[in-house]
Amino acid sequence: MIRWIVTDLDGTLVGRDLAMVPASRDALRRFRAAGGQVVIATGRMERSALRYYEELGLDGPAILYNGARTVNLATGSVGRSCSLPPEAWKTLLAMFDDLPDGVHPVAFSGGQAYAVERAPALRDYARRDGITLRDPGDWTALPAGDVTKCMLIGDPLPDPHIPGTVTTRSEATYLEILPEGATKGSALRELAAAAGVPPREIAAVGDNPNDLDMIELAGLGAAVGDGHPALRAAADVVVRACADGAVAHVVELACRANGWS
């Protein structure tokens, strides 16, 4: 029995045009109408994920910031909330001046996104996510204990190893630096345990390495057909490409497992 379908957004449910693939959106709506639950799991922040949450008509928790926070976007209720350790944030601040040309930091704190530069890559990122990048004036203006995550956007990306953090790539040019233990899989494990849903009754689907531990946890772990090779190699099943209805394919498999027509 598959009770939950957990889906990544960008490159999985959401296409290059930043709209949900209609076949996948409609299939998730049918799954919910039949009694299943849908959870979105994304690197996006609250404001950026809200449009998709509302379009699906969801009313439960969402996994945001690649697992650093879980928030019911209908009520604003916060479940999990992780922050970078103050010492890790200070280490990052010391790195910012030495980043390679073409690599730009973004930090997230208090439900807002911050950047001190106005590079084209940052404008493209803000447009894609539908957010405003606020200028803190100086990075030290952000509270050291209240930074949810940091992103490095550009190329070539460094791979910093900072105590108390974990890194993941959500896109080829996005490196995310998160509090240690903050992953989509760990957030999903907490949500499922709180709801009494065993992992074997969850289907999860994604397209990039930041989805890896989530699909490994799920009873049915699916990789998008045009997703990252490492994810496809680890998945229980490789489904259709995003634009061809990857999530609709997962819904078909879940309904078949449940004996739903």
Side-chain angles (χ1 to χ4, degrees):
M1 186 75 180
I2 299 297
R3 295 166 60 186
W4 284 15
I5 291 179
V6 184
T7 178
D8 171 52
L9 289 180
D10 297 287
T12 301
L13 177 60
V14 174
R16 294 184 182 277
D17 60 355
L18 304 182
M20 282 194 284
V21 176
S24 292
R25 176 199 61 209
D26 295 345
L28 289 176
R29 288 174 174 171
R30 291 194 298 273
F31 183 76
R32 291 191 71 235
Q37 181 166 336
V38 173
V39 177
I40 58 173
T42 178
R44 290 175 180 255
M45 58 191 290
E46 293 90 341
R47 184 175 304 171
S48 181
L50 181 61
R51 59 175 284 200
Y52 305 109
Y53 181 96
E54 291 181 335
E55 188 173 349
L56 289 170
L58 303 183
D59 55 12
I63 297 171
L64 307 174
Y65 300 94
N66 274 316
R69 284 170 71 86
T70 56
V71 182
N72 184 313
L73 294 176
T75 65
S77 175
V78 177
R80 157 184 275 213
S81 183
C82 305
S83 297
L84 292 169
E87 285 304 315
W89 174 239
K90 292 176 184 176
T91 300
L92 281 166
L93 291 182
M95 289 177 49
F96 285 173
D97 289 338
D98 296 322
L99 289 172
D101 290 342
V103 176
H104 314 282
V106 178
F108 299 81
S109 178
Q112 302 291 339
Y114 295 91
V116 298
E117 300 175 85
R118 291 294 176 263
L122 295 180
R123 289 197 297 271
D124 290 345
Y125 166 71
R127 178 195 59 80
R128 193 204 77 159
D129 271 28
I131 61 174
T132 298
L133 292 175
R134 298 173 179 267
D135 187 348
D138 185 274
W139 285 120
T140 58
L142 299 184
D146 192 34
V147 177
T148 305
K149 75 171 184 178
C150 177
M151 284 180 67
L152 301 180
I153 296 176
D155 184 56
L157 289 168
D159 189 13
H161 298 280
I162 301 171
T165 72
V166 61
T167 60
T168 188
R169 287 185 183 241
S170 52
E171 298 285 348
T173 57
Y174 295 175
L175 180 76
E176 309 218 6
I177 302 158
L178 296 149
E180 190 171 31
T183 67
K184 290 186 181 182
S186 61
L188 176 57
R189 187 183 297 278
E190 284 186 13
L191 282 183
V197 177
R200 68 177 179 275
E201 296 182 358
I202 299 172
V205 57
D207 71 315
N208 261 313
N210 60 317
D211 300 309
L212 183 59
D213 71 337
M214 178 176 79
I215 71 163
E216 289 178 334
L217 172 68
L220 177 62
V224 174
D226 52 351
H228 194 282
L231 202 73
R232 288 188 274 121
D236 298 314
V237 60
V238 177
V239 294
R240 293 190 286 265
C242 172
D244 295 332
V247 179
H249 192 174
V250 174
V251 174
E252 291 169 16
L253 296 174
C255 289
R256 191 180 307 159
N258 293 351
W260 298 349
S261 59

